[in-house]
Amino acid sequence: MIRATYRAGVQRGQAVCDCCGRAQIVTCGFVRGAITGGRMPDAARVREVAAGRGWATIRNRLLCPGCLASRRAAVHPAPVAGPAPEQPRAELTECQRREILDTLAIYYDRRARRYIGSMTDKAIAADLGGGCLAGWVAELRERYFGPAGGREGVAA
């Protein structure tokens, strides 16, 4: 509901919550009423300023921010925490597969069955970048080249 208020000679409108009665005073112009011919606050301007302060008009009812929040909570209850949805597993592309195999051919000593120098699966994945995972490097190394050779604990 919107009421007229006068304080210190300033024309103001008062937005009153139709649910709890909370009031918000807004400075606005007055307009001539169509039915009574008397001066009343500009309802559109009062609603506009009140909306900027968190108020809302729903089905011709003016609601304060508190009533609006409780209404939203009743309409949209908080989701119940359940099991997290399973993330889709990233897939190894053919291009990434070739890059990993080419890099392994450079840094893996087949005779000694270990990496050359201080290279590891993680270091190769970091060097390749582009979303390459160390698990992919380890999987391809195990399948086509052999074991890591005890260098996995060495920092890159």
Side-chain angles (χ1 to χ4, degrees):
M1 153 180 17
I2 297 175
R3 298 182 189 150
T5 346
Y6 300 96
R7 285 198 183 161
V10 178
Q11 298 175 339
R12 296 181 179 168
Q14 185 178 36
V16 180
C17 178
D18 290 326
C19 188
C20 68
R22 178 180 168 198
Q24 176 80 50
I25 297 177
V26 175
T27 302
C28 66
F30 275 45
V31 294
R32 185 168 298 278
I35 297 174
T36 62
R39 297 186 48 78
M40 10 184 336
D42 184 4
R45 179 68 182 150
V46 172
R47 281 192 174 100
E48 180 183 334
V49 172
R53 296 178 183 170
W55 290 61
T57 303
I58 298 175
R59 294 186 187 162
N60 252 356
R61 293 179 62 205
L62 197 57
L63 298 176
C64 69
C67 292
L68 189 61
S70 64
R71 183 178 191 277
R72 285 184 180 151
V75 173
H76 304 288
V80 178
E86 207 171 295
Q87 295 293 329
R89 187 171 187 265
E91 294 294 323
L92 176 65
T93 64
E94 188 61 33
C95 181
Q96 289 172 323
R97 184 177 165 279
R98 268 191 242 113
E99 286 179 350
I100 292 171
L101 290 174
D102 290 344
T103 307
L104 283 171
I106 296 169
Y107 291 111
Y108 192 84
D109 184 0
R110 287 181 186 238
R111 287 191 186 134
R113 299 182 60 81
R114 62 180 174 83
Y115 280 113
I116 297 171
S118 63
M119 290 305 283
T120 62
D121 296 335
K122 271 188 186 176
I124 289 177
D127 285 347
L128 292 176
C132 182
L133 302 176
W136 293 342
V137 177
E139 181 182 325
L140 291 174
R141 177 192 35 76
E142 285 286 333
R143 184 182 304 162
Y144 297 108
F145 293 89
R151 293 233 178 235
E152 288 303 302
V154 178

